[in-house]
Amino acid sequence: MILNKEPHHLVAPSILSADFSRLGEEVRNVESAGADRLHIDVMDGHFVPNLTIGAPVVKSLKKISTLPLDVHLMVSKPENILSSFISAGADSITIHLESTNYPEKVLKRIRQEKVLAGLTLKPATPVERMFPFLPFLDLVLVMTVEPGFGGQSLLPDQVSNISAVKEELVRQGLNNVPVHVDGGVNLQTLPLLPSADVLVAGHFIFTHKSYKEAISLLKSGSVS
Ligand code: DX5
Ligand code: ZN
């Protein structure tokens, strides 16, 4: 295995695959292993068929970690619970376009509170639906699995959304908006994701024997 040593991805471990009975320790471990951000999957059992964690967990993690906390809200009507995640100390909040009738209003409100605003789509939603909202964003999250569960296989037909979003960002003069890629990221799928700015990875990191090695392998960018 030959590794390209030049790092060009940031890595955001998704705590969905962490051992929740030792969450603080798991977070400290990925932090010292070189994680750049922490990806926090919030699911409401309605927008997606799974239920995870809420703002109190974000508040607790804020106390023990200096990593930026990226909250991925997979909830219906995120406008109803935004303020609790803002007060809890979220550094970025990403919402799903399909989850609200007021995406522009919600994104503007997140930014007003000095939190970074992100937008994402379920795989069935055409990527172009996101384009009118790009000027209101600090990050784009490209889903490469159906949201709801960790440890799924990457959907290859979603990969082209990364370049589609990147090209549209350039066209709109928004070159600095980073693209995060979420779902099924591992050493086998990494070669498909050269232009991802931030790799979100849960299962790959938290099941690896060494978090440090797992994160370094993802950061190194390409494996051949
Ligand atoms: C899926 C979540 C992802 C997921 C990624 O709904 O948004 O963040 O936890 O995990 P892996 O890397 O296990 O696919
Ligand atoms: Zn996620």
Side-chain angles (χ1 to χ4, degrees):
M1 187 161 65
I2 302 162
L3 292 181
N4 171 1
K5 290 286 178 210
E6 193 60 45
H8 63 277
H9 299 298
L10 296 180
V11 173
S14 159
I15 61 165
L16 193 54
S17 291
D19 178 348
F20 278 14
S21 72
R22 301 184 297 109
L23 188 55
E25 192 186 331
E26 292 272 71
V27 166
R28 285 194 193 93
N29 287 344
V30 288
E31 184 161 2
S32 61
D36 299 291
R37 324 185 59 83
L38 211 59
H39 183 92
I40 302 174
D41 288 306
V42 176
M43 307 184 189
D44 66 352
H46 182 260
F47 182 71
V48 291
N50 194 7
L51 190 62
T52 57
I53 55 171
V57 175
V58 175
K59 190 174 177 188
S60 296
L61 293 180
K62 194 73 187 172
K63 289 186 202 147
I64 62 135
S65 178
T66 59
L67 291 176
L69 303 181
D70 287 337
V71 173
H72 175 191
L73 284 185
M74 286 160 273
V75 305
S76 301
K77 299 188 179 171
E79 55 272 23
N80 292 345
I81 55 158
L82 259 192
S83 50
S84 62
F85 286 93
I86 293 166
S87 330
D91 294 278
S92 71
I93 298 180
T94 296
I95 61 161
H96 274 262
L97 184 56
E98 309 89 349
S99 68
T100 176
N101 291 326
Y102 316 102
E104 184 177 329
K105 208 170 150 189
V106 175
L107 293 166
K108 284 181 171 167
R109 192 164 139 228
I110 295 171
R111 277 181 149 183
Q112 264 165 18
E113 301 288 347
K114 310 279 181 259
V115 173
L116 302 179
L119 188 63
T120 190
L121 302 172
K122 286 185 169 178
T125 307
V127 69
E128 296 75 20
R129 292 261 325 267
M130 187 185 270
F131 294 172
F133 301 97
L134 296 181
F136 311 118
L137 300 183
D138 301 296
L139 72 92
V140 173
L141 182 68
V142 172
M143 290 305 302
T144 41
V145 293
E146 191 65 49
F149 298 92
Q152 303 181 81
S153 299
L154 176 138
L155 298 168
D157 64 348
Q158 298 301 305
V159 171
S160 62
N161 289 346
I162 304 168
S163 49
V165 167
K166 285 253 165 189
E167 280 164 26
E168 184 61 19
L169 285 168
V170 171
R171 203 185 68 76
Q172 295 192 27
L174 300 166
N175 314 36
N176 293 330
V177 175
V179 174
H180 298 213
V181 176
D182 186 7
V185 175
N186 57 40
L187 290 191
Q188 282 67 50
T189 55
L190 190 56
L192 300 172
L193 314 169
S195 57
D197 298 299
V198 178
L199 296 170
V200 176
H203 187 260
F204 174 70
I205 293 173
F206 286 102
T207 59
H208 202 283
K209 60 184 186 309
S210 156
Y211 295 170
K212 196 174 172 70
E213 186 179 295
I215 291 171
S216 306
L217 285 166
L218 293 178
K219 282 192 182 192
S220 66
S222 69
V223 182
S224 55

